[in-house]
Amino acid sequence: MLFRSDSATKRLEYLYIESDGGFSRGPVSVEKEALVFPDTTFVQDGKTMVYRSRWQHSGATSYDVVTEFKSKDGWVPGFMVHMTQSEDSRPNGDEK
């Protein structure tokens, strides 16, 4: 996932590309200790689906990710993931 600051709109944006070619992009905001990814469209092989995610900070080096998908009846649970930064990727082994 790549993040960038859009100087024209003054907002943070992301670009997510999967190894098999699917992608999504859009704005991301910060609410308290969470990254909030609003409704966006994922495109793969000419098909699309709408989803949204929230990455809640969970400790010094972790996030709890909750993703929901839009169905014809509204939002439905997708998946939950706990992500932790590996020690190898921390500068000097720091927990920052």
Side-chain angles (χ1 to χ4, degrees):
M1 185 174 298
L2 301 171
F3 292 92
R4 74 179 198 97
S5 177
D6 186 320
S7 60
T9 62
K10 308 275 192 240
R11 69 181 185 184
L12 181 63
E13 295 183 342
Y14 74 93
L15 171 61
Y16 174 71
I17 303 171
E18 286 197 346
S19 60
D20 59 0
F23 72 93
S24 60
R25 64 182 177 183
V28 59
S29 61
V30 177
E31 293 179 9
K32 297 186 182 180
E33 291 194 10
L35 296 175
V36 178
F37 299 82
D39 308 7
T40 192
T41 301
F42 178 80
V43 180
Q44 183 175 357
D45 297 328
K47 298 179 182 177
T48 62
M49 73 173 122
V50 177
Y51 73 98
R52 63 185 180 190
S53 291
R54 181 179 184 88
W55 294 20
Q56 183 68 46
H57 201 70
S58 174
T61 60
S62 301
Y63 283 90
D64 290 321
V65 178
V66 176
T67 299
E68 300 173 303
F69 294 95
K70 192 169 192 175
S71 73
K72 61 181 175 140
D73 299 320
W75 292 100
V76 296
F79 55 87
M80 296 174 58
V81 177
H82 180 76
M83 296 193 307
T84 301
Q85 182 181 16
S86 70
E87 288 186 28
D88 293 338
S89 66
R90 296 180 199 149
N92 302 319
D94 292 341
E95 289 200 19
K96 296 179 183 178

